[in-house]
Amino acid sequence: MANAADLRFYENLPLFEAFEGVADEANYRPLPEGWLLAVADIVNSTGAIAEGKYKSVNTAGASVISALMNALDERNLAFVFGGDGALAAVPAAMAVKARSALAAAKTWVAEELGLELRAALVPVSDIRAQGLDMRVARFKASEQVSYAMFSGGGASWAEAEMKAGRYQVEAAPPGTRPDLTGLSCRWSPMVSRHGAIVSIIALPGERGSGPEFQALIGEIVALAEGEERAGHPVPEDGPEPRLSINGVTVESRALASKGWRSLAWSWIALQSLVLFLCFRLGLNLGKFDVAQYKHDLASNSDFRKFDDGLKMTIDVSADRLRRIEERLERGVDAGVCRYGLHRQDSALMTCIVPTPMSRDHMHFIDGAAGGYAMAAKNLKVIFPGRFPSGVAGSSVMP
């Protein structure tokens, strides 16, 4: 019988509110024994990006989170969205359901998005046997939503193992569909207001993830926070409402099988049109409060995170980006960090919205022209072979 305290471990973690707390190990707690990491990413995501399919790549990554949430019936899932993939911590009692959800997601991504999703379930005990750890913290993004942050090197090792072909989850039979209720892709790209949308990855250097790296992360966060609203790429009153036909099409594939696709497309398009008009005209619809939804949409967004390293997609001026890069370069020279970044004109948003009437909707932010996947590729090109001991690679590498 599952231990109730074990199942509620993440839900009961204390919240920290200032984002610079991601660099404070005191905010992290070890995952319980017996837990597993569900990891997934898109094979050759850079090739898909080159073909203009990054909206589909982001949707595939978010589908893993949605499938796990629904299969486990767990809104307080400890996960991180990585642009071209995702990672989640799963209690041992939910391992069978998690495997089924990942298997179904692999099949759905292949059949509906034309992409190959890798997936694996990695025991936390195997991570610790390597001298690494898997620790998690809860960052309070808003009154309604918190996001998991991970440290210890375990996430990077687990993804490297998956890419090496170990701990694999096989695809479900053709036609199998995961439950993707709530997965939403309706927003058009959000154009930079300050200069550029920059996706940044900063990982431990040759000296490891000790106090020097933690101090550097604190400085980078402080530099970013000097920008208006800490460089948040989503405007405070929400993105400019625009109809996204591509988003409606992708979401209809998540909602319905082929036989019902036209009906689903029409229904989602109608909802999108109504939402567009409400946003454009500032009209409330029954209990749907447009102003509140806009505020929550921005507040609930995950534009920055920590997953064995700092990941941010921020809207910053050229001068502020220069200062951030200079600090990262000094970190590289000192062996404290390694980094990659990717500039683009706009950001993408992929969402999980259980219902427009609830305020706990989640919004995953990435750059619209490659984002984290390209930043990870640039990290490999700029600093080849400079992985510190115990860290196998970025958890968002393509």
Side-chain angles (χ1 to χ4, degrees):
M1 183 176 178
N3 185 313
D6 188 57
L7 293 176
R8 300 269 71 83
F9 162 78
Y10 178 66
E11 181 181 339
N12 293 332
L13 283 181
L15 295 162
F16 69 95
E17 298 188 32
F19 185 74
E20 56 264 30
V22 297
D24 185 353
E25 277 297 317
N27 287 322
Y28 292 81
R29 304 289 186 274
L31 285 177
E33 292 299 321
W35 280 44
L36 303 97
L37 290 189
V39 289
D41 77 347
I42 294 298
V43 176
N44 191 25
S45 58
T46 52
I49 292 165
E51 295 173 4
K53 296 180 179 179
Y54 204 47
K55 181 74 171 178
S56 293
V57 169
N58 271 191
T59 300
S63 75
V64 173
I65 298 168
S66 178
L68 287 169
M69 277 186 167
N70 290 324
L72 306 182
D73 192 22
E74 184 54 76
R75 292 295 302 162
N76 287 308
L77 183 69
F79 70 84
V80 64
F81 170 74
D84 64 346
L87 174 149
V90 178
M94 297 182 176
V96 173
K97 290 181 178 180
R99 183 175 293 276
S100 295
L102 291 173
K106 281 173 65 78
T107 298
W108 181 81
V109 167
E111 294 179 347
E112 298 293 355
L113 302 181
L115 300 169
E116 182 183 353
L117 183 73
R118 275 183 295 224
L121 273 176
V122 182
V124 171
S125 59
D126 287 7
I127 290 170
R128 290 181 175 141
Q130 299 298 315
L132 303 170
D133 201 359
M134 198 65 210
R135 299 190 293 274
V136 62
R138 283 181 74 198
F139 169 61
K140 182 180 178 181
S142 70
E143 291 299 324
Q144 290 74 40
V145 169
S146 64
Y147 288 106
M149 307 286 144
F150 293 101
S151 73
S156 299
W157 184 84
E159 182 154 348
E161 289 294 290
M162 174 186 69
K163 291 177 179 179
R166 292 181 278 273
Y167 303 104
Q168 292 292 305
V169 172
E170 299 301 324
T176 303
R177 299 178 58 85
D179 182 355
L180 299 178
T181 301
L183 182 63
S184 177
C185 314
R186 302 177 189 182
W187 296 103
S188 295
M190 297 167 288
V191 177
S192 169
R193 306 182 309 282
H194 302 310
I197 300 293
V198 186
S199 297
I200 301 172
I201 300 173
L203 301 175
E206 295 160 354
R207 297 191 182 186
S209 57
E212 288 180 303
F213 178 70
Q214 294 170 28
L216 179 141
I217 293 304
E219 292 179 41
I220 296 300
V221 170
L223 282 170
E225 289 193 337
E227 191 67 80
E228 179 194 8
R229 297 179 57 245
H232 202 316
V234 183
E236 190 170 10
D237 58 351
E240 180 70 19
R242 286 178 290 173
L243 293 175
S244 171
I245 299 302
N246 182 40
V248 171
T249 299
V250 172
E251 187 175 338
S252 69
R253 292 175 176 175
L255 181 65
S257 57
K258 290 183 179 179
W260 298 92
R261 189 69 45 78
S262 296
L263 182 61
W265 194 99
S266 300
W267 173 241
I268 294 168
L270 177 61
Q271 288 181 319
S272 299
L273 177 60
V274 171
L275 184 64
F276 171 83
L277 293 174
C278 287
F279 268 57
R280 179 69 73 181
L281 302 176
L283 298 175
N284 295 331
L285 186 64
K287 294 182 179 180
F288 179 69
D289 186 322
V290 171
Q292 184 68 70
Y293 190 87
K294 287 181 177 181
H295 174 78
D296 290 343
L297 192 152
S299 298
N300 295 358
S301 297
D302 79 330
F303 71 103
R304 50 191 184 173
K305 62 200 79 179
F306 194 90
D307 173 23
D308 282 348
L310 179 67
K311 282 116 181 166
M312 302 190 297
T313 293
I314 51 178
D315 184 359
V316 292
S317 67
D319 179 66
R320 189 164 302 279
L321 177 57
R322 175 187 58 79
R323 293 161 62 190
I324 290 173
E325 283 193 88
E326 287 176 351
R327 182 63 188 94
L328 289 167
E329 287 289 353
R330 293 199 302 273
V332 171
D333 291 341
V336 173
C337 78
R338 50 199 175 90
Y339 79 95
L341 60 81
H342 183 64
R343 300 174 184 85
Q344 52 247 299
D345 295 329
S346 56
L348 284 179
M349 180 162 59
T350 307
C351 316
I352 292 180
V353 183
T355 165
M357 301 304 173
S358 68
R359 297 182 59 194
D360 60 347
H361 38 95
M362 297 179 173
H363 306 277
F364 310 141
I365 308 299
D366 198 3
Y372 291 125
M374 293 305 296
K377 178 177 181 292
N378 292 338
L379 182 148
K380 291 206 301 183
V381 169
I382 297 171
F383 309 117
R386 293 184 62 176
F387 290 91
S389 175
V391 179
S394 164
S395 62
V396 293
M397 281 189 179

